[in-house]
Amino acid sequence: MTTVVAATTIKARQRPGDRIFSGATVVAGSLILAVLAMVALFLLWQSLPAFTAPADEFGSRITNFWQYVGPFVFGTLWSAALALLMAVPVAIGIALFISHYAPRKLAQGLGYLIDLLAAVPSVVFGLWGIGVLAPLVQPFYATLVDWFGWIVFFEGPVSGTGRTIFTVAVVLAVMILPIITAICREIFLQTPLLHEEAALALGATRWEMIKMAVLPFGRAGIISAAMLGLGRALGETMAVAMVLSPSPQVIFQLLTSQNPTTIAANIALNFPESHGIGVNILLATGLVLFVVTLIVNMLARVVINRRKAFSGAN
């Protein structure tokens, strides 16, 4: 009885500022859900004509929407996966250097530089990819084909311009590197100091301490950072559209002039000239990208929750 009276008294004494802040947070959270729902409904409504469009609206040898969007889905996932594969190890290494190896002043300077890199517009990365990266790596691609041409990914012929899916993956990796690095750095800095000191007291080297204390503590954060970077890579438009020489087909070769393009780049390149049912087809591909991104983030959330539950059980 006393507990109920105390709880009622505390609730009655709640300050107006607390009620305003609580209501504002509820409104903000509901607004996000409402906006997502409206975007999904708009895409779904505008996409319905594309699912029943005649074959001549998609081009030669394509009979339905799913054959049309399939190569674009492949290109989106393929380029994003390659970028993530390159960016995550480098980001973890940079974050560990800033958090556990670099002197304080150097760590602060590198942290500012990483944060500044995250603010660079994607069109600048696209220009860099076209003007600097592609000509620079094109001779290196020929060497890769000579050495590793027996692997399906490095089969020739080599693109003469260097504007390949591999170049796009490198550009995307540079773009998502600051996001992953910044989050991993903050996670590693939150590692309990007692865990680190205990590992060092047992005779572990600094690297062994990182393996035993820092990386296990930050595993869920690393996954979250990787998924945020993957989300940006999946939806990146301008850099891909500027660098890539697109070809709507499923192809695993990384260094040829025939490259699968992404959904976002295809929309950006074709939307200004589209009309009628063509607009609905492009919006339908946008709906597919929306669903793919949603599924990826849901899977990431499931993995993170399982990791947390496993860590709590241990």
Side-chain angles (χ1 to χ4, degrees), residues 212-264:
M212 289 188 295
V214 179
L215 293 180
F217 174 81
R219 187 177 292 115
I222 293 173
I223 297 174
S224 299
M227 291 303 103
L228 284 176
L230 180 61
R232 180 174 184 185
L234 288 173
E236 180 53 42
T237 304
M238 288 308 301
V240 179
M242 295 172 66
V243 176
L244 197 62
S245 299
S247 176
Q249 57 181 318
V250 176
I251 182 171
F252 287 92
Q253 282 77 15
L254 301 177
L255 310 177
T256 65
S257 58
Q258 301 294 319
N259 301 283
T261 189
T262 64
I263 294 176

Side-chain angles (χ1 to χ4, degrees), residues 69-197:
V69 76
F72 300 134
V73 174
F74 169 79
T76 301
L77 296 176
W78 184 228
S79 60
L82 291 172
L84 199 66
L85 187 65
M86 289 185 280
V88 170
V90 177
I92 293 175
I94 296 174
L96 287 174
F97 176 75
I98 293 175
S99 61
H100 288 82
Y101 285 92
R104 181 180 297 273
K105 291 185 178 180
L106 179 59
Q108 290 179 348
L110 287 176
Y112 293 145
L113 182 62
I114 293 296
D115 295 338
L116 180 63
L117 188 61
V120 176
S122 59
V123 66
V124 175
F125 284 106
L127 293 172
W128 171 73
I130 293 176
V132 178
L133 184 62
L136 182 66
V137 299
Q138 196 279 330
F140 178 66
Y141 288 167
T143 304
L144 282 179
V145 172
D146 292 338
W147 289 359
F148 304 104
W150 50 275
I151 302 176
V152 63
F153 302 118
F154 300 107
E155 291 180 353
V158 179
S159 171
T161 62
R163 296 170 63 179
T164 67
I165 191 69
F166 191 79
T167 304
V168 168
V170 174
V171 174
L172 291 177
V174 175
M175 293 180 66
I176 66 177
L177 187 65
I179 300 174
I180 303 175
T181 301
I183 297 176
C184 290
R185 177 191 65 200
E186 297 302 321
I187 294 297
F188 295 156
L189 289 173
Q190 294 177 14
T191 305
L193 187 59
L194 290 178
H195 293 185
E196 297 181 1
E197 293 178 346

Side-chain angles (χ1 to χ4, degrees), residues 50-51 58 62-77 248-250 260-264 266-267 280-290 292:
F51 299 135
F58 300 104
I62 300 178
T63 59
N64 56 54
F65 171 76
W66 302 110
Q67 286 184 349
Y68 172 78
V69 76
F72 300 134
V73 174
F74 169 79
T76 301
L77 296 176
Q249 57 181 318
V250 176
T261 189
T262 64
I263 294 176
N266 179 66
I267 294 174
N280 298 107
I281 293 174
L282 292 178
L283 289 175
T285 60
L287 176 63
V288 173
L289 179 60
F290 181 85
V292 168

